[in-house]
Every structure is written in structure tokens, then in C-alpha cells.
Amino acid sequence: MNKIERALISVTDKRGIVELAKELEGLGIEIVSTGGTAKVLREGGVKVVEISEITGFPEILEGRVKTLHPHIHGAILFKRDDPEHIKTIEELKIKPIDLVIVNLYAFEKVVEKGGDLKEAIENIDIGGPTLLRASAKNFHYVTVVVDPQDYEKVLQEIKTYGNTTLETRFELAKKVFALTSRYDQTIFEYLSKFHV
């Protein structure tokens, strides 16, 4: 496996994220981030590349569109051992993203504290699940982390091997699909209470 060189971090749950990003940065890993997470990381002394610097496109529609771009998803989804994929990536000047650390808008918390339908809809995460599913699909090459409890294990493997093991990547990928299926089920159950 190639060494992890670039990480995308975009989290709602910011527990431990500055400490993790500092460790990754210390290992020579470039940190790419979005809005609120980028601000927290910068304030914590981490050098951050904004998503918009990579896409050449600003966050739009009140943050509804940030990461949905070929320079992000191509960077995650290409097969690192497929000559045609590599050729495409190089031609389009897409730089790989090897590690994705994302957790989702807290839809359930908004609903639990009595948010109305409009507020709930604004807290349906689109970019987050897309990043997670893309990364999990490409677990042969990409490490995806949704749970702060996995930070230490992932960090230790990167320190030891320069990357995570395939076994770890596969376990983390399964965790993603468990999370996104629960997330969608929660949204479905909430929306089922309404008629428009």
C-alpha cells in the first residue's frame, strides 16, 4: 500500500479532531477540510487546505454544496492499481485523497429537541454520506473513519505502516454502511409522520 498523503476532514462531532489532525500533520499528511471544521483546525494550529481551493468553486447554497465535485470524489474513488484510472486522474490533475474522516449532521438531535420540518430538512446531510459511501466503496485503497473511537487505532496503524491495514479498512467500511443505513432510516421514519 502507498503511504497516506492526504486526508479530508469534515466533522460535526469535533471531539479529538484537532489532536488527531496535528498527529496526521506531524506525519506529513496534508489536511483538507470544509467550513466549520477548517476553522476549528486552524484555531488549533493545524494548516488546512480548504475544499474550495481544490475544487476552484466556493461553497454555495448556504453550504448545501461543498464537496460534491470530481476533484473530491475522483480523488477518493479511483483505483490506485488501475492504469486507466491513474491516467485519468493524472490528466485531470486530481490529487488522491487517502483518508476520509467525516461524521454527519446531527439529524436525530435536531428532531429530538423539537425542530420543525423545515429545520429537520436542512439537517439532512448530503455531502457527508456521499463522501462516506465513496470512501467505503473504495476501501481497498481508502481509509474512512466515522467514529472518534477509531481515531487511535487508525493513527497507530498509520504510524506503524504508513497506512492502515486492509482488514481495518474493510471493518471501517462496514461501519459506514451501518451508519448511513441507520441515518436514512431515521430520516424516513421522521418524514413519514408528515403530509404535504
Side-chain angles (χ1 to χ4, degrees):
M1 270 305 292
N2 295 333
K3 281 188 161 190
I4 290 179
E5 294 183 356
R6 199 170 186 219
L8 190 161
I9 304 177
S10 181
V11 292
T12 302
D13 180 351
K14 299 189 172 51
R15 287 176 297 156
I17 202 61
V18 171
E19 295 78 6
L20 176 64
K22 279 184 174 175
E23 292 266 16
L24 295 173
E25 189 177 44
L27 295 168
I29 296 169
E30 182 180 58
I31 308 296
V32 176
S33 192
T34 59
T37 304
K39 184 174 183 284
V40 166
L41 293 177
R42 270 201 200 93
E43 287 168 357
V46 178
K47 187 179 176 208
V48 176
V49 177
E50 289 270 1
I51 287 276
S52 56
E53 291 176 51
I54 293 165
T55 63
F57 214 80
E59 290 185 14
I60 61 169
L61 308 176
E62 301 169 321
R64 280 183 164 202
V65 180
K66 301 184 266 245
T67 58
L68 300 168
H69 193 281
H71 273 273
I72 303 302
H73 288 279
I76 292 168
L77 278 164
F78 83 98
K79 296 177 189 173
R80 273 61 169 173
D81 55 4
D82 183 315
E84 283 303 311
H85 282 215
I86 292 165
K87 184 178 171 212
T88 300
I89 289 297
E90 287 173 352
E91 283 172 358
L92 296 173
K93 296 182 171 56
I94 294 174
K95 200 172 156 191
I97 293 172
D98 311 300
L99 171 60
V100 173
I101 302 167
V102 168
N103 46 58
L104 305 177
Y105 294 168
F107 179 84
E108 214 163 355
K109 285 183 183 167
V110 169
V111 170
E112 280 171 7
K113 67 175 202 218
D116 62 11
L117 180 60
K118 186 178 177 187
E119 186 184 358
I121 287 170
E122 286 309 313
N123 280 277
I124 296 174
D125 201 323
I126 302 302
T130 307
L131 288 169
L132 291 175
R133 289 171 62 85
S135 307
K137 174 176 177 167
N138 213 21
F139 71 86
H140 277 284
Y141 316 96
V142 176
T143 304
V144 59
V145 186
V146 294
D147 184 349
Q149 291 187 348
D150 293 317
Y151 291 172
E152 191 55 38
K153 179 180 184 176
V154 166
L155 185 59
Q156 288 312 314
E157 288 193 10
I158 295 169
K159 284 180 176 177
T160 304
Y161 310 114
N163 206 323
T164 55
T165 63
L166 179 59
E167 182 183 24
T168 293
R169 290 194 299 278
F170 188 48
E171 290 307 311
L172 293 172
K174 288 188 276 187
K175 213 165 180 175
V176 163
F177 289 114
L179 173 77
T180 56
S181 65
R182 280 196 311 271
Y183 192 74
D184 284 341
Q185 184 65 28
T186 300
I187 293 166
F188 166 71
E189 286 171 5
Y190 175 76
L191 294 179
S192 294
K193 299 172 186 173
F194 295 89
H195 299 281
V196 293

